[in-house]
Amino acid sequence: MKIHRIDRYRVRLPLRIPFETSYGRLTEKAFDILLVTDELGNQGIGELVPFEQPDYIEETIATARIIIENHLIPLIKDADIHHPKEVSLLFNEVKGNQMAKSSLETAIWDLYAKRNGTSLKTYFNETRTKIPVGVSVGIQTDLAKLIDQINEYVVQGYQRIKLKIRPGYDLKPIDAIRNKFPDILLMVDANSAYTIKDISYLKQLDRYDLAMIEQPFAANDFLDHAQLQKEMQTDICLDENIRTLKDCELAFSLGSCRSINLKIPRVGGITEAMKIVDFCKERDLLVWLGGMFESGVGRALNLQFASQKVFKFPGDISASDRYYYEDILTDPIEIQKGKISVPNGFGIGVSLSQETLLKYGLYDTLFIK
Ligand code: OSB
Ligand code: MG
């Protein structure tokens, strides 16, 4: 397989509901769609997912574009690729920058599956056709509005609610949700907003029967998380910390968490994600699939990957209408009875709406043979 050209759309899609986390507020999501074409004219699609601000992790969409154009494309433009697993090896000399790598690596997996006339999920183990899904709810200081919003998601069938929290917005909203929905599968995500000084405060969360607390401490901290996990009953889940399989090994051996939020782009692509899944399975570490407010392309990829039976905990993979007024797919992703169907076509299984892409995006060509 030879790469003959790479094109992209740089897109900004307005969000239906602004999304607020412990570190900021998002009203539009910027992302790039990369189209990788082989010597036979097959085309793989990948999404570049980082945010515009380096406030979730250090990568931004602008830094990722530079890495892609100046460092990653030169590594694949003359290569003869027999299997997409070779791409992560070719990219090895570029340190970090996982989301930049993932955008091309996942496009090449999609290309490979399309070339072979098969769905992407055929490369994964023990797959299902429908996936249980959850929804991540942004910070909403008006608690009546928060409860209304969650109620709407529960009515739509979402099987798990994840609430974003930060100091000053934690016990009260959690208490309000638990009072109204005593039995829902509920978890919280702090996006690194607390520190080791908050351990005794955070222990109060143990009384709310939370499925887990995601990333309470800094994105590169393993020791303080291990201390917290020792003192708390509630499972700790790591998100920002996990960039590689090595990070999972470290977290497991230190006891920093009992659960991993796996995002394919945050670990550099499908090949590393598969290794992490194998590791978690062997160690009985709960692994579930997270999200990055992806467009339909990234969520179609997430659905293919989350089709594996090991992802029994509902992922952050919501329907198109939870995020956007218009998605960039010809057929938006829909939820039915708390589940989303894995798209059926070749590769990631979806086709692009060129009209929507051009309405919200700019097209250019990065490389032509
Ligand atoms: O921490 O998981 C996170 C969204 C943006 C940035 C970080 C996170 C999130 C989510 C939403 O929680 C997941 C989604 O529905 O895509
Ligand atoms: Mg998170």
Side-chain angles (χ1 to χ4, degrees):
M1 185 160 75
K2 294 225 162 80
I3 311 297
H4 268 219
R5 76 183 276 167
I6 301 177
D7 301 273
R8 82 174 160 190
Y9 291 94
R10 284 170 290 170
V11 190
R12 305 179 69 85
L13 276 188
L15 293 179
R16 279 178 75 144
I17 313 170
F19 190 71
E20 191 169 334
T21 65
S22 61
Y23 58 80
R25 189 180 158 90
L26 197 69
T27 55
E28 283 187 323
K29 177 69 173 74
F31 58 89
D32 291 358
I33 296 300
L34 298 181
L35 306 172
V36 178
T37 307
D38 72 4
E39 77 281 14
L40 306 174
N42 299 295
Q43 199 165 69
I45 315 172
E47 180 166 337
L48 181 64
V49 305
F51 297 103
E52 292 178 285
Q53 303 295 328
D55 49 10
Y56 162 68
I57 62 167
E58 55 284 356
E59 265 187 291
T60 70
I61 190 155
T63 64
R65 284 175 182 152
I66 290 174
I67 294 291
I68 289 169
E69 290 169 49
N70 297 354
H71 304 286
L72 299 178
I73 291 178
L75 294 173
I76 52 172
K77 71 180 184 27
D78 299 315
D80 191 3
I81 298 166
H82 297 98
H83 192 280
K85 285 187 176 172
E86 296 163 19
V87 176
S88 59
L89 297 173
L90 291 169
F91 285 169
N92 235 344
E93 65 184 77
V94 174
K95 304 307 168 202
N97 294 285
Q98 279 85 357
M99 292 179 177
K101 290 175 178 173
S102 177
S103 64
L104 286 168
E105 198 250 14
T106 58
I108 292 169
W109 271 97
D110 181 46
L111 172 61
Y112 182 72
K114 284 172 173 158
R115 208 176 144 110
N116 290 322
T118 182
S119 163
L120 188 59
K121 73 175 194 294
T122 56
Y123 299 104
F124 309 138
N125 296 320
E126 298 189 283
T127 58
R128 304 158 294 182
T129 56
K130 288 181 179 169
I131 318 299
V133 293
V135 61
S136 173
V137 180
I139 289 171
Q140 164 67 264
T141 45
D142 182 332
L143 292 188
K145 282 192 187 148
L146 174 74
I147 296 293
D148 279 354
Q149 195 181 94
I150 291 174
N151 190 56
E152 204 177 300
Y153 292 139
V154 170
V155 168
Q156 286 168 16
Y158 287 102
Q159 298 196 30
R160 186 226 65 208
I161 299 291
K162 168 165 127 183
L163 180 72
K164 293 284 181 182
I165 59 168
R166 61 163 140 77
Y169 180 86
D170 41 35
L171 296 174
K172 259 196 191 166
I174 296 168
D175 203 77
I177 296 169
R178 261 294 171 245
N179 271 322
K180 181 81 184 182
F181 308 98
D183 301 320
I184 52 165
L185 190 54
L186 179 65
M187 62 176 288
V188 295
D189 184 355
N191 289 109
S192 302
Y194 297 86
T195 72
I196 188 90
K197 293 191 186 113
D198 300 312
I199 285 196
S200 55
Y201 183 81
L202 288 171
K203 279 161 80 172
Q204 298 178 83
L205 298 185
D206 275 339
R207 64 174 109 102
Y208 294 105
D209 189 27
L210 301 175
M212 61 190 80
I213 167 168
E214 184 171 327
Q215 198 70 40
F217 298 156
N220 56 2
D221 171 81
F222 288 90
L223 294 175
D224 293 355
H225 280 118
Q227 186 61 39
L228 180 67
Q229 185 64 93
K230 230 184 259 164
E231 296 191 34
M232 261 187 109
Q233 283 160 17
T234 309
D235 289 352
I236 308 297
C237 170
L238 290 182
D239 170 356
E240 286 90 322
N241 270 73
I242 306 296
R243 318 299 176 87
T244 61
L245 171 64
K246 276 281 163 207
D247 291 329
C248 291
E249 292 174 0
L250 183 59
F252 181 76
S253 68
L254 292 174
S256 311
C257 65
R258 298 192 196 116
S259 166
I260 302 280
N261 171 336
L262 178 55
K263 298 183 185 177
I264 296 167
R266 207 199 50 236
V267 302
I270 291 173
T271 306
E272 192 75 7
M274 289 168 93
K275 291 180 192 166
I276 291 174
V277 165
D278 287 345
F279 178 84
C280 291
K281 261 194 203 166
E282 279 167 26
R283 304 297 185 303
D284 254 328
L285 197 53
L286 179 72
V287 62
W288 61 281
L289 207 93
M292 284 292 292
F293 263 76
E294 285 94 342
S295 78
V297 166
R299 271 174 295 124
L301 167 69
N302 289 344
L303 288 164
Q304 297 289 335
F305 198 74
S307 70
Q308 300 176 87
K309 277 193 184 132
V310 67
F311 291 102
K312 54 187 180 302
F313 187 82
D316 280 341
I317 320 171
S318 307
S320 295
D321 69 3
R322 180 263 174 269
Y323 304 98
Y324 303 111
Y325 295 103
E326 275 180 281
D327 205 336
I328 57 164
L329 305 177
T330 52
D331 302 291
I333 291 169
E334 289 171 352
I335 181 170
Q336 272 178 332
K337 294 184 184 159
K339 293 186 174 183
I340 297 182
S341 295
V342 182
N344 259 327
F346 295 160
I348 58 172
V350 289
S351 28
L352 298 173
S353 160
Q354 198 154 4
E355 198 190 320
T356 316
L357 281 167
L358 290 173
K359 180 170 165 191
Y360 295 103
L362 292 170
Y363 176 85
D364 65 355
T365 297
L366 295 179
F367 159 72
I368 277 196
K369 190 134 256 180

